[in-house]
Amino acid sequence: MVSNNAIPNVTKWNVEEYCTLSDHNLIMFSYNENCILRNSPTQESPRFKVKNANWEKFTEKCNETFNEQYFDNLEHMQPDRMINKVTNELQNICKMTIPLIKKPCKNVPWWNTEVLKSRKEAFKIKKELSRARRLRMTGEVENLVIRYRVARNKLTAQIRKSKKNSWRNFVTEIGNEEPWGIVYKMIKDKTRSAQLMTSVFNENNELTFTWEETAQTLLSAMVPIDDVIMEEEIHGNIREENSTYRNSNMEPDISLAEIQNAIERSKNKKAPGIDGISNEIIKAIWKCQPKFLVWLYNKCFIEKYFPKKWKIAELKILLKDKNKDLKLVNSYRPI
């Protein structure tokens, strides 16, 4: 098997049908070690645990940072630079007042000292058994086989008991805290496992070979390029309407009530963007600094500019149904 990063190094591959007497054929290829491997573009995004946030300290830090002098410093900045500065400041405040969601630990939650002790005991007997077999100690082997079976059964029972207790504690703790959370989803089979990306058919009806080709094919199908020539009449009308609206100098500024209505309608517990700023955090900013958000949005509106940082999204590709063909683009949907 070849990883995605190593695929560019593989060349001149072909199937050899008569190299072996087996039913399987050999695949011969050349591998260039001098080729520079490309890493997949993974980007770590901060995820804040808002339910454990210190909102009092958050409000205090926001009021200290976003003051009149801060407005004056941003006034003459280019929109992208301004948004980057505000985002960085806000992320720093969040890191001081809201704990980060830690990555899942690789250690299993049910592992304990009793299981570890039983495992060491079984492993020790297994080593003695292997040594006795190697030295052809027939009498000792029979005794060690019995001891090993007892130790192995004890370890299996310990693991089963530990898993059961761990699951019971998990359901009791998390289930009471979030009745419709992960426990409910697991019982109702509503959880989604990560989908391993595979090759898909592109517009030329050819299979993709690298993750870049697969990603580009999916992206082109789900988020088509804004092409004036290829668009339909209805899209042309929308483009013309938006163009007129954007260039109009008669349009009033965005009001405080409009922004408040939009923020209040936004739902909690939604995935944030790559900056980690969730709807809960935006609502907290609105409570302590409503004028700042009004000024920020109107600044972009007056400049007739949509910041690049707000256009970047982390797209997740989900399989519509487990019975769908993995090689067809239409089998996936983005969120």
Side-chain angles (χ1 to χ4, degrees):
M1 297 298 291
V2 180
S3 67
N4 286 337
N5 290 340
I7 286 177
N9 298 16
V10 178
T11 58
K12 301 178 182 178
W13 66 275
N14 62 294
V15 179
E16 298 289 343
E17 298 182 359
Y18 305 106
C19 289
T20 175
L21 297 177
S22 171
D23 294 336
H24 304 283
N25 295 326
L26 289 178
I27 298 178
M28 307 292 291
F29 61 87
S30 300
Y31 186 81
N32 182 12
E33 295 182 354
N34 297 324
C35 181
I36 300 176
L37 296 181
R38 293 172 292 174
N39 294 322
S40 58
T42 56
Q43 184 174 7
E44 293 293 332
S45 303
R47 297 295 298 271
F48 299 103
K49 198 171 185 178
V50 292
K51 66 179 182 180
N52 293 340
N54 186 342
W55 294 120
E56 184 177 344
K57 187 177 179 181
F58 178 87
T59 301
E60 179 184 341
K61 291 293 182 182
C62 284
N63 292 334
E64 289 178 3
T65 304
F66 304 124
N67 49 34
E68 293 295 333
Q69 184 179 357
Y70 192 84
F71 289 170
D72 295 337
N73 294 335
L74 296 179
E75 186 65 40
H76 302 291
M77 278 190 183
Q78 192 268 345
D80 280 326
R81 186 182 172 193
M82 176 187 68
I83 293 299
N84 289 339
K85 181 177 176 61
V86 171
T87 302
N88 292 336
E89 293 282 4
L90 193 53
Q91 285 179 334
N92 291 334
I93 293 174
C94 290
K95 289 175 182 178
M96 290 187 288
T97 58
I98 308 174
L100 289 169
I101 296 178
K102 297 180 180 179
K103 291 184 178 180
C105 183
K106 292 184 178 180
N107 296 331
V108 290
W110 48 265
W111 192 266
N112 54 35
T113 54
E114 293 181 358
V115 175
L116 179 61
K117 184 178 178 181
S118 298
R119 181 179 179 274
K120 287 182 177 180
E121 183 180 347
F123 187 71
K124 181 180 178 181
I125 298 174
K126 185 178 180 181
K127 287 182 66 177
E128 293 177 2
L129 177 59
S130 299
R131 179 176 176 275
R133 283 175 173 169
R134 189 170 59 253
L135 299 177
R136 302 182 183 276
M137 302 166 62
T138 307
E140 188 70 17
V141 168
E142 294 178 358
N143 181 37
L144 288 172
V145 166
I146 296 174
R147 288 178 56 196
Y148 176 66
R149 287 176 180 172
V150 172
R152 186 182 60 185
N153 292 338
K154 180 182 177 182
L155 174 61
T156 303
Q158 286 281 6
I159 292 176
R160 188 181 296 113
K161 178 182 177 182
S162 182
K163 284 183 176 180
K164 185 177 180 180
N165 292 336
S166 177
W167 172 249
R168 183 185 291 112
N169 295 335
F170 174 78
V171 171
T172 303
E173 180 182 352
I174 304 299
N176 291 338
E177 187 176 342
E178 299 180 13
W180 308 108
I182 185 63
V183 175
Y184 169 79
K185 292 178 181 178
M186 291 173 68
I187 294 174
K188 292 294 185 179
D189 195 24
K190 292 187 176 183
T191 56
R192 290 182 179 272
S193 57
Q195 180 64 43
L196 183 64
M197 191 56 66
T198 182
S199 296
V200 296
F201 287 106
N202 57 24
E203 56 184 6
N204 298 324
N205 204 28
E206 298 175 350
L207 282 174
T208 56
F209 285 96
T210 65
W211 67 264
E212 293 101 330
E213 292 180 11
T214 301
Q216 187 59 51
T217 301
L218 290 171
L219 192 62
S220 299
M222 297 173 181
V223 189
I225 298 175
D226 189 16
D227 192 346
V228 180
I229 299 176
M230 301 295 293
E231 69 184 6
E232 299 178 1
E233 182 180 356
I234 185 173
H235 299 135
N237 295 335
I238 295 174
R239 182 189 297 276
E240 183 179 356
E241 181 182 349
N242 289 338
S243 177
T244 305
Y245 173 83
R246 184 171 59 251
N247 294 329
S248 175
N249 294 322
M250 302 297 293
E251 190 68 28
D253 292 347
I254 305 173
S255 67
L256 187 144
E258 288 177 312
I259 298 177
Q260 181 177 1
N261 183 42
I263 291 177
E264 289 178 350
R265 284 191 292 109
S266 61
K267 296 181 180 180
N268 294 337
K269 297 183 179 180
K270 294 295 182 181
I274 60 172
D275 55 9
I277 309 301
S278 62
N279 289 340
E280 291 90 338
I281 296 175
I282 294 176
K283 289 179 180 180
I285 301 171
W286 177 256
K287 288 181 180 179
C288 62
Q289 286 287 337
K291 292 183 179 179
F292 172 67
L293 288 182
V294 173
W295 177 86
L296 186 65
Y297 292 136
N298 275 299
K299 176 71 173 175
C300 297
F301 183 73
I302 293 170
E303 295 282 344
K304 304 181 180 68
Y305 189 81
F306 196 95
K308 293 180 180 178
K309 201 174 188 70
W310 291 354
K311 296 179 182 179
I312 302 174
E314 186 175 355
L315 200 66
K316 296 289 185 181
I317 307 298
L318 301 180
L319 188 65
K320 292 180 180 179
D321 188 85
K322 60 183 179 181
N323 297 322
K324 292 284 187 179
D325 189 350
L326 300 179
K327 294 182 176 62
L328 298 180
V329 174
N330 295 335
S331 299
Y332 301 91
R333 67 179 181 88
I335 59 170

